[in-house]
Amino acid sequence: KMIGFRMLTILECERLQTLPDGYTDGMSKTQAYRAIGNGWTVDVIAHILSGWFNEETKKKKRKKLIKRY
């Protein structure tokens, strides 16, 4: 039995990019997917960077602990 992945709907893509529902109304499906996929919203960038900064902070704390001992 083959298991695959389903394609995300345009609405799901809009929500993942924190765009308002119906943001790409009036575009063809192809144009909508391209418009959503080629853009970055502030919320998405902030989320990605917050994870990166949290990881960097953890690394610095580990280095300080190692230097102590």
Side-chain angles (χ1 to χ4, degrees), residues 2 19 24 28 50 57-59:
M2 194 169 143
L19 296 169
T24 56
S28 70
S50 70
T57 303
K58 288 178 188 176
K59 286 179 186 176

Side-chain angles (χ1 to χ4, degrees), residues 1 5 7 9 12 18 24 32 40 49 51-52 54 63 66 68:
K1 184 177 175 182
F5 297 98
M7 191 167 175
T9 65
E12 290 170 325
T18 66
T24 56
W40 292 85
L49 291 179
W52 182 77
N54 288 338
K63 285 182 182 179
I66 292 171
R68 285 185 192 172

Side-chain angles (χ1 to χ4, degrees), residues 18 40-54:
T18 66
W40 292 85
T41 61
V42 173
D43 292 337
V44 172
I45 293 169
H47 178 76
I48 292 168
L49 291 179
S50 70
W52 182 77
F53 283 120
N54 288 338

